[in-house]
Amino acid sequence: MRRRPASLVARSAAQGGAADWFLLGMVAAVVLASFAPQWGRSEGPLHMGTVTDVGVFLLFFLHGMGLSTDSLKAGASRWKLHLLVQACTYVLFPLWWALGAVTLGPWISRDLLMGFFYLAVLPSTVSSSVAMTALARGHVAAAVLNATLSTLLGVFLTPLLVSLVMGHDGGGMDVGATMLKVAQMLLLPFVVGHLLRPWLAKWFARIKPVTNVFDKGVIVLLVWSAFSDSVADGLWTRHGPLLLAEAVLGAALFLFPMLWFTRRAARALGFSVEDEIVAVFCGSKKTLASGMPMAKLLFGGSAAMGVLVLPIMLYHQLQLFVCAVMARRYAAREGAAQPQRLV
């Protein structure tokens, strides 16, 4: 049996520890918001609305600075793979939601149903998709390109799709203004950070462990603020424990069929195992790192904010656990190349 390199084992253990405190942090944020919502409200005594705005700007600035242009070039030639991943992210997921809405919609609360729609139109993840691809010994450069492309497309496609559905429901969301707001808060700092990379790359490499903690810390603050606003507006008085059970079941009904489909589609298209890994991990994932900041911009004034983000919170944890198991199985295959460096 082939031994895994010590560096990979150490990185895997570190990621596992980070995932543990991150999960505990999100649970603590929900509990604190449930019992003392006044402290975390956007306009509360801690001014969490302003704090999270600054945190989101810095988060995407650091994401842009961490993006390697060379890695994007290295993965650019696999157009069939990129087309499959983006089609899964922005076409298959919404169609799967539409099928679920028709068949199960009458028995699910409207707010939760819209939360699953929001999950369906979110971009793929960046960091965890690349990390899982590297752990599984897949094509890391292609994963970087797909995850980054998905994030950039999501700045425009996610608000567009959300606004179309909200408009149909009478929400009256201004598509152009919403896209501009998302671009200013997410795309602008991302681009600025990437443009400054040639001068700040060495400094960024030194602070990388701190940026990982900062990334997750901002998300925990966003969860706290979102649930504080919703609890103060009657979240738990309108919904009982059944809401959580429905959200968990719904997350599973999204993840497992998508994992099955991306794997079958990759094999039907004749992809190598390395490219199949990219299709599975990038095509089935949805981002919490972009999803929470974008939800604040799209739904920040809604009393249902806590319910709307509940599906992506649960889906994120489920996808990390399941994909970690799958990545280790891929890595144990015969003839697998040595793990590639994360870029």
Side-chain angles (χ1 to χ4, degrees):
M1 182 177 177
R2 179 178 299 174
R3 292 176 60 85
R4 293 168 66 200
S7 60
L8 186 62
V9 174
R11 186 191 307 138
S12 178
Q15 289 171 348
D20 289 342
W21 79 256
F22 182 44
L23 174 59
L24 291 175
M26 289 205 298
V27 171
V30 173
V31 172
L32 180 59
S34 298
F35 288 97
Q38 67 277 9
W39 290 102
R41 296 201 69 174
S42 298
E43 304 302 326
L46 299 180
H47 303 286
M48 290 304 299
T50 302
V51 170
T52 52
D53 281 346
V54 174
V56 167
F57 190 93
L58 292 175
L59 185 152
F60 279 86
F61 175 80
L62 293 172
H63 279 192
M65 192 179 299
L67 177 63
S68 168
T69 304
D70 291 339
S71 66
L72 298 180
K73 293 178 180 178
S77 62
R78 291 167 162 76
W79 65 270
K80 288 184 180 179
L81 172 60
H82 308 326
L83 185 61
L84 172 62
V85 170
Q86 302 310 318
C88 288
T89 303
Y90 292 113
V91 178
L92 183 61
F93 263 95
L95 289 177
W96 186 246
W97 172 85
L99 178 62
V102 170
T103 56
L104 302 175
W107 293 276
I108 301 175
S109 75
R110 186 64 187 170
D111 291 340
L112 186 61
L113 189 63
M114 290 305 304
F116 277 110
F117 173 74
Y118 181 60
L119 165 69
V121 298
L122 280 173
S124 180
T125 63
V126 176
S127 57
S128 64
S129 291
V130 175
M132 293 298 179
T133 299
L135 180 62
R137 303 182 187 185
H139 197 283
V140 173
V144 173
L145 188 145
N146 267 294
T148 304
L149 178 61
S150 179
T151 298
L152 297 178
L153 289 174
V155 170
F156 304 101
L157 290 180
T158 299
L160 174 62
L161 294 171
V162 168
S163 66
L164 289 174
V165 172
M166 290 294 187
H168 184 268
D169 286 347
M173 186 180 292
D174 187 328
V175 181
T178 301
M179 286 184 178
L180 180 60
K181 183 167 58 174
V182 172
Q184 288 174 338
M185 284 295 296
L186 307 186
L187 182 59
L188 176 61
F190 186 92
V191 172
V192 171
H194 186 63
L195 292 176
L196 292 177
R197 178 180 168 83
W199 296 276
L200 299 178
K202 292 183 179 179
W203 171 78
F204 178 82
R206 289 197 300 269
I207 67 166
K208 187 69 164 68
V210 178
T211 64
N212 290 334
V213 174
F214 178 79
D215 189 335
K216 293 176 173 60
V218 170
I219 296 173
V220 170
L221 290 179
L222 285 166
V223 169
W224 182 32
S225 180
F227 270 84
S228 294
D229 287 339
S230 294
V231 170
D233 289 324
L235 170 63
W236 298 129
T237 58
R238 294 196 308 269
H239 303 285
L242 181 61
L243 176 74
L244 185 59
E246 291 176 345
V248 171
L249 179 60
L253 290 176
F254 266 91
L255 178 62
F256 290 105
M258 292 302 166
L259 289 172
W260 176 85
F261 177 83
T262 50
R263 192 170 188 175
R264 293 294 297 235
R267 294 182 178 182
L269 291 170
F271 290 173
S272 65
V273 178
E274 290 74 20
D275 284 354
E276 175 189 317
I277 290 169
V278 176
V280 170
F281 291 146
C282 293
S284 66
K285 282 179 171 286
K286 290 293 183 175
T287 177
L288 183 65
S290 297
M292 286 303 302
M294 204 177 296
K296 180 184 177 182
L297 296 173
L298 297 175
F299 312 122
S302 172
M305 174 75 167
V307 180
L308 292 170
V309 299
L310 186 59
I312 181 57
M313 288 172 57
L314 296 173
Y315 188 88
H316 176 80
Q317 300 302 326
L318 184 61
Q319 74 183 3
L320 284 180
F321 175 78
V322 174
C323 290
V325 173
M326 293 181 65
R328 287 176 171 81
R329 290 182 178 178
Y330 271 121
R333 71 188 184 275
E334 289 294 328
Q338 290 299 312
Q340 302 176 44
R341 289 179 58 85
L342 298 181
V343 285

